[in-house]
Amino acid sequence: MIELKPEAMVGKGLHRECYIHPDNPNRCIKVVVLRGEEETRREQAYYKFLQKRQITWEMLPQFYGVEPTSMGPGAVFDLVRDSDGEVGKTFEHYFESSELTEQNLQGLLTSLQALKVYLFSQNIITMSIKPKNIIYQRRDEQTGIAVIIDNIGNSDALPLASYCHRLGKIKMTRKWAKFIRLLQKDYPENTLLQRHIISKLSV
């Protein structure tokens, strides 16, 4: 059994917590802490579906199965680290600071533009797109990659969009537009984000 220690926690959501894997610093373990079993089952089923489709994984962490931990079953994923080895920070982290947005402006914009292309071209469905669920993996001072770490999957009773690229595009067009509106609403004082990023991310 894997022992998860508080100091190894790198992320916390409403239903789950994420810890650095004690046996592999390049992987992490997600565990349910509050009524997140259904979300976890849906996510894992969708990851297995994507594995069968043999998608490319440059903007999604790969899933390696479930291991027993001191906090219950733990889902093992890639841990997103910057080029300097630090655990990657979310877009929420960068957007909450106008200074950080300015320092990483071109990389933030380019990586989100690439993420949009990736999601549409690979027909990857998300429950929602939020800055707190996307890591900006810094490669250097000017470039990085956007990696979605949560809210992957399709909860439709008949998930036709997962199988039909045309329907997937329609669904993800709505999701992306909602993401843009969320950025506009949540960061009104970040003028660089509003003027130089959001304006170039529209569907």
Side-chain angles (χ1 to χ4, degrees):
M1 178 182 292
I2 297 173
E3 182 72 23
L4 298 179
K5 299 182 179 180
E7 60 268 25
M9 188 168 70
V10 291
K12 183 175 182 178
L14 181 61
H15 303 295
R16 296 183 291 180
E17 293 177 354
C18 184
Y19 294 80
I20 297 174
H21 197 301
D23 300 325
N24 187 336
N26 291 315
R27 293 185 182 178
C28 63
I29 302 178
K30 290 183 182 180
V31 292
V32 174
V33 293
L34 180 66
R35 299 188 302 275
E37 291 83 3
E38 182 177 349
E39 177 184 355
T40 295
R41 284 193 295 269
R42 183 192 66 243
E43 179 183 69
Q44 293 176 13
Y46 190 71
Y47 266 95
K48 291 174 182 177
F49 169 74
L50 293 179
Q51 289 170 344
K52 290 180 181 179
R53 277 180 43 199
Q54 297 183 328
I55 67 160
T56 62
W57 293 95
E58 66 265 28
M59 296 183 187
L60 276 180
Q62 291 210 51
F63 171 55
Y64 298 100
V66 178
E67 298 186 21
T69 81
S70 55
M71 298 179 65
V76 181
F77 293 87
D78 286 324
L79 177 61
V80 182
R81 291 185 179 273
D82 295 339
S83 60
D84 61 4
E86 291 295 314
V87 176
K89 302 291 194 304
T90 66
F91 276 79
E92 180 180 61
H93 170 80
Y94 287 96
F95 290 160
E96 285 181 341
S97 165
S98 296
E99 182 178 354
L100 287 176
T101 301
E102 182 177 12
Q103 292 172 358
N104 298 274
L105 184 62
Q106 189 57 48
L108 293 170
L109 170 60
T110 303
S111 63
L112 284 177
Q113 289 174 322
L115 177 64
K116 176 185 171 184
V117 172
Y118 173 75
L119 293 174
F120 280 71
S121 64
Q122 298 284 321
N123 195 37
I124 294 172
I125 308 299
T126 67
M127 299 294 294
S128 63
I129 307 174
K130 298 178 180 179
K132 68 178 182 180
N133 293 330
I134 312 172
I135 297 290
Y136 178 61
Q137 184 181 33
R138 295 181 77 249
R139 292 301 177 88
D140 54 44
E141 293 184 357
Q142 300 296 325
T143 63
I145 297 175
V147 183
I148 293 189
I149 59 168
D150 206 358
N151 267 2
I152 298 297
N154 189 347
S155 62
D156 293 347
L158 291 175
L160 299 178
S162 297
Y163 297 89
C164 175
H165 204 121
R166 181 177 62 84
L167 295 178
K169 183 178 181 180
I170 292 172
K171 177 180 281 289
M172 288 309 297
T173 296
R174 292 197 302 266
K175 302 281 187 182
W176 191 264
K178 189 174 181 179
F179 172 55
I180 298 302
R181 292 194 298 270
L182 181 69
L183 295 180
Q184 291 170 330
K185 178 177 72 72
D186 286 357
Y187 306 99
E189 297 180 0
N190 189 330
T191 55
L192 283 173
L193 170 62
Q194 299 293 333
R195 295 176 182 175
H196 299 285
I197 296 181
I198 292 176
S199 63
K200 298 177 183 178
L201 291 178
S202 59
V203 176

